[in-house]
Amino acid sequence: MLYAFGFERLGVVVSDLYFVDPDPLPGQATPERGVRLELRLFERGEPAGSIYAARPITIARPLWRVDLLQDADAAPATFDRTHHHPDFDGWIPGPRVFVEELSADPLAWLAGKLSDVPGLLKETGISPGELTEADAAGLRAAAPEITDTVRRLLERVWAGELGRPAGGDGSGPVTSARISWL
């Protein structure tokens, strides 16, 4: 499932995730599941044909990512693999960064990050001039709704509805290293 929140040039995308790391860290060789959130640049195209035509929308390059992940076989809300990627090199995320506060209370940590747009931009290395004040205001205002969306997706992952391996029922072989929109 994919959710998108768009502002002016900045947006947030959120999706469930099932992941098998091809190069896992020690002790993290089992599949992971949870929710991924990315801060992305959005591009808005012009309607083609008439004022009534649908507008092309591109969800462009990522700026920042948080993965609320845990061992796929762990009890709900374990968050033993929860981390974030404060920077990207183009489309490639930097290394996983594990933060005690993030694993202890992921939704509060996330709400704080989304509400502190200048701090988030500084962390990502994005110049504040690249975004508009409407982006910052929109993200701050939407932070509670975005956080609630993440919470609801996590609940569906824990219930076994989302964040499942290929085959859907959990019994089939994993045919992909990543099953997600993101």
Side-chain angles (χ1 to χ4, degrees), residues 6 18 25 32 38 57 90 110 119 134 151 164:
Y18 183 90
L25 295 171
E32 303 170 325
E38 291 178 343
I57 301 168
L110 178 61
R151 179 192 54 77
R164 298 184 300 185

Side-chain angles (χ1 to χ4, degrees), residues 16-36 65 67-74 79-83 85 96 98 157 162-165 174 176-180:
D16 63 303
L17 174 69
Y18 183 90
F19 188 74
V20 178
D21 192 333
D23 187 22
L25 295 171
Q28 297 188 359
T30 57
E32 303 170 325
R33 67 181 179 147
V35 172
R36 171 171 284 170
R65 173 189 287 171
D67 287 323
L68 305 182
L69 298 177
Q70 62 186 58
D71 183 314
D73 295 325
F79 297 117
D80 60 331
R81 310 247 180 107
T82 295
H83 61 275
H85 301 269
R96 288 180 169 191
F98 294 89
V157 167
L162 299 173
R164 298 184 300 185
V174 176
S176 174
R178 182 172 75 195
I179 302 166
S180 176

Side-chain angles (χ1 to χ4, degrees), residues 21-157:
D21 192 333
D23 187 22
L25 295 171
Q28 297 188 359
T30 57
E32 303 170 325
R33 67 181 179 147
V35 172
R36 171 171 284 170
L37 177 143
E38 291 178 343
L39 191 64
R40 295 273 194 111
L41 291 177
F42 278 39
E43 297 171 1
R44 186 182 340 199
E46 291 300 319
S50 78
I51 196 169
Y52 303 107
R55 179 184 296 270
I57 301 168
T58 301
I59 300 175
R61 75 179 173 91
L63 305 172
W64 180 79
R65 173 189 287 171
V66 62
D67 287 323
L68 305 182
L69 298 177
Q70 62 186 58
D71 183 314
D73 295 325
T78 304
F79 297 117
D80 60 331
R81 310 247 180 107
T82 295
H83 61 275
H84 73 117
H85 301 269
D87 63 339
F88 276 78
D89 181 9
W91 291 89
I92 306 299
R96 288 180 169 191
V97 176
F98 294 89
V99 179
E100 186 176 328
E101 297 82 9
L102 171 57
S103 293
D105 193 348
L107 296 176
W109 184 90
L110 178 61
K113 287 289 186 181
L114 296 177
S115 298
D116 178 15
V117 177
L120 190 54
L121 292 179
K122 183 177 180 183
E123 188 174 329
T124 65
I126 301 300
S127 165
E130 288 189 60
L131 305 175
T132 68
E133 181 52 40
D135 282 315
L139 182 56
R140 271 191 302 274
E145 183 178 359
I146 295 167
T147 304
D148 187 57
T149 299
V150 169
R151 179 192 54 77
R152 287 184 283 109
L153 274 175
L154 282 169
E155 289 171 354
R156 292 185 69 191
V157 167

